Short mmCIF file of all heavy atoms in Angstrom, two decimals:
data_model
loop_
_atom_site.label_atom_id
_atom_site.label_comp_id
_atom_site.label_asym_id
_atom_site.label_seq_id
_atom_site.Cartn_x
_atom_site.Cartn_y
_atom_site.Cartn_z
N ALA A 177 216.67 46.88 -53.67
CA ALA A 177 216.79 48.23 -53.10
C ALA A 177 215.82 49.21 -53.72
O ALA A 177 215.19 50.03 -53.02
CB ALA A 177 218.22 48.73 -53.26
N GLY A 178 215.66 49.15 -55.04
CA GLY A 178 214.75 50.07 -55.70
C GLY A 178 213.31 49.87 -55.27
O GLY A 178 212.56 50.84 -55.10
N GLN A 179 212.92 48.62 -55.07
CA GLN A 179 211.55 48.34 -54.67
C GLN A 179 211.27 48.82 -53.24
O GLN A 179 210.15 49.23 -52.93
CB GLN A 179 211.28 46.83 -54.77
CG GLN A 179 211.19 46.34 -56.22
CD GLN A 179 211.09 44.84 -56.30
OE1 GLN A 179 211.78 44.11 -55.59
NE2 GLN A 179 210.23 44.35 -57.18
N TRP A 180 212.30 48.79 -52.38
CA TRP A 180 212.11 49.28 -51.01
C TRP A 180 211.71 50.75 -51.01
O TRP A 180 210.89 51.19 -50.21
CB TRP A 180 213.37 49.08 -50.18
CG TRP A 180 213.49 47.73 -49.57
CD1 TRP A 180 214.42 46.77 -49.83
CD2 TRP A 180 212.62 47.17 -48.57
NE1 TRP A 180 214.19 45.64 -49.08
CE2 TRP A 180 213.08 45.86 -48.29
CE3 TRP A 180 211.49 47.62 -47.91
CZ2 TRP A 180 212.46 45.03 -47.37
CZ3 TRP A 180 210.85 46.79 -46.98
CH2 TRP A 180 211.34 45.51 -46.72
N GLY A 181 212.31 51.51 -51.92
CA GLY A 181 211.97 52.93 -52.00
C GLY A 181 210.51 53.14 -52.33
O GLY A 181 209.83 53.98 -51.71
N TRP A 182 209.99 52.37 -53.28
CA TRP A 182 208.58 52.49 -53.65
C TRP A 182 207.67 51.99 -52.54
O TRP A 182 206.58 52.56 -52.32
CB TRP A 182 208.31 51.73 -54.94
CG TRP A 182 208.89 52.38 -56.16
CD1 TRP A 182 209.93 51.95 -56.92
CD2 TRP A 182 208.45 53.62 -56.74
NE1 TRP A 182 210.18 52.83 -57.94
CE2 TRP A 182 209.29 53.86 -57.85
CE3 TRP A 182 207.44 54.53 -56.44
CZ2 TRP A 182 209.14 54.98 -58.66
CZ3 TRP A 182 207.30 55.65 -57.24
CH2 TRP A 182 208.14 55.87 -58.34
N LEU A 183 208.08 50.94 -51.85
CA LEU A 183 207.26 50.43 -50.74
C LEU A 183 207.14 51.46 -49.62
O LEU A 183 206.07 51.66 -49.04
CB LEU A 183 207.86 49.13 -50.20
CG LEU A 183 207.63 47.87 -51.04
CD1 LEU A 183 208.39 46.69 -50.45
CD2 LEU A 183 206.14 47.55 -51.13
N ILE A 184 208.27 52.12 -49.31
CA ILE A 184 208.25 53.14 -48.26
C ILE A 184 207.37 54.32 -48.68
O ILE A 184 206.58 54.85 -47.89
CB ILE A 184 209.68 53.62 -47.95
CG1 ILE A 184 210.47 52.47 -47.30
CG2 ILE A 184 209.67 54.84 -47.04
CD1 ILE A 184 211.95 52.75 -47.12
N ALA A 185 207.48 54.71 -49.96
CA ALA A 185 206.63 55.79 -50.47
C ALA A 185 205.16 55.42 -50.37
O ALA A 185 204.31 56.25 -50.00
CB ALA A 185 207.00 56.12 -51.91
N ALA A 186 204.84 54.16 -50.68
CA ALA A 186 203.46 53.69 -50.58
C ALA A 186 202.98 53.69 -49.14
O ALA A 186 201.81 53.98 -48.85
CB ALA A 186 203.33 52.29 -51.17
N GLY A 187 203.87 53.38 -48.21
CA GLY A 187 203.51 53.39 -46.80
C GLY A 187 203.28 54.80 -46.27
O GLY A 187 202.41 55.02 -45.42
N VAL A 188 204.04 55.78 -46.79
CA VAL A 188 203.93 57.16 -46.30
C VAL A 188 202.70 57.86 -46.87
O VAL A 188 201.89 58.44 -46.14
CB VAL A 188 205.20 57.96 -46.63
CG1 VAL A 188 205.01 59.44 -46.28
CG2 VAL A 188 206.40 57.39 -45.88
N VAL A 189 202.55 57.83 -48.21
CA VAL A 189 201.51 58.66 -48.85
C VAL A 189 200.15 57.95 -48.86
O VAL A 189 199.23 58.38 -48.15
CB VAL A 189 201.94 59.08 -50.27
CG1 VAL A 189 200.88 59.97 -50.90
CG2 VAL A 189 203.27 59.82 -50.20
N PRO A 190 199.95 56.86 -49.65
CA PRO A 190 198.63 56.23 -49.60
C PRO A 190 198.41 55.37 -48.35
O PRO A 190 197.30 54.91 -48.11
CB PRO A 190 198.61 55.35 -50.86
CG PRO A 190 200.03 55.02 -51.09
CD PRO A 190 200.83 56.20 -50.62
N GLY A 191 199.46 55.18 -47.56
CA GLY A 191 199.32 54.44 -46.31
C GLY A 191 199.02 55.37 -45.16
O GLY A 191 197.87 55.58 -44.78
N PHE A 192 200.05 55.99 -44.61
CA PHE A 192 199.92 56.83 -43.41
C PHE A 192 199.03 58.05 -43.65
O PHE A 192 198.01 58.25 -42.98
CB PHE A 192 201.31 57.26 -42.94
CG PHE A 192 201.31 58.32 -41.89
CD1 PHE A 192 200.69 58.11 -40.67
CD2 PHE A 192 201.94 59.54 -42.11
CE1 PHE A 192 200.69 59.09 -39.69
CE2 PHE A 192 201.95 60.53 -41.14
CZ PHE A 192 201.33 60.30 -39.93
N LEU A 193 199.38 58.89 -44.62
CA LEU A 193 198.67 60.16 -44.80
C LEU A 193 197.24 59.97 -45.31
O LEU A 193 196.29 60.50 -44.73
CB LEU A 193 199.46 61.06 -45.77
CG LEU A 193 200.81 61.56 -45.25
CD1 LEU A 193 201.52 62.36 -46.34
CD2 LEU A 193 200.63 62.41 -44.01
N ALA A 194 197.09 59.19 -46.38
CA ALA A 194 195.76 59.06 -46.99
C ALA A 194 194.78 58.37 -46.06
O ALA A 194 193.63 58.80 -45.92
CB ALA A 194 195.87 58.30 -48.31
N ILE A 195 195.20 57.29 -45.42
CA ILE A 195 194.28 56.56 -44.55
C ILE A 195 193.94 57.39 -43.32
O ILE A 195 192.80 57.40 -42.86
CB ILE A 195 194.88 55.19 -44.17
CG1 ILE A 195 194.95 54.30 -45.42
CG2 ILE A 195 194.04 54.51 -43.09
CD1 ILE A 195 195.66 52.99 -45.20
N MET A 196 194.92 58.11 -42.77
CA MET A 196 194.64 58.96 -41.62
C MET A 196 193.60 60.03 -41.97
O MET A 196 192.63 60.24 -41.24
CB MET A 196 195.92 59.64 -41.12
CG MET A 196 195.69 60.55 -39.91
SD MET A 196 197.19 61.36 -39.33
CE MET A 196 197.50 62.50 -40.70
N PHE A 197 193.77 60.67 -43.12
CA PHE A 197 192.81 61.70 -43.53
C PHE A 197 191.43 61.09 -43.79
O PHE A 197 190.40 61.69 -43.48
CB PHE A 197 193.31 62.43 -44.77
CG PHE A 197 194.52 63.27 -44.53
CD1 PHE A 197 195.48 63.44 -45.52
CD2 PHE A 197 194.74 63.89 -43.31
CE1 PHE A 197 196.60 64.23 -45.31
CE2 PHE A 197 195.87 64.68 -43.09
CZ PHE A 197 196.80 64.85 -44.09
N ALA A 198 191.41 59.90 -44.39
CA ALA A 198 190.13 59.24 -44.67
C ALA A 198 189.40 58.89 -43.38
O ALA A 198 188.18 59.07 -43.27
CB ALA A 198 190.36 57.98 -45.51
N VAL A 199 190.12 58.39 -42.39
CA VAL A 199 189.51 58.03 -41.12
C VAL A 199 188.96 59.26 -40.41
O VAL A 199 187.86 59.24 -39.85
CB VAL A 199 190.52 57.28 -40.22
CG1 VAL A 199 189.97 57.11 -38.81
CG2 VAL A 199 190.85 55.92 -40.81
N VAL A 200 189.72 60.35 -40.45
CA VAL A 200 189.24 61.61 -39.85
C VAL A 200 187.97 62.08 -40.55
O VAL A 200 187.00 62.50 -39.91
CB VAL A 200 190.34 62.69 -39.93
CG1 VAL A 200 189.79 64.04 -39.48
CG2 VAL A 200 191.52 62.31 -39.05
#
Side-chain angles (χ1 to χ4, degrees):
Q179 289 173 317
W180 275 115
W182 288 110
L183 284 175
I184 293 172
V188 173
V189 182
F192 169 60
L193 293 176
I195 293 174
M196 180 181 69
F197 292 147
V199 170
V200 173

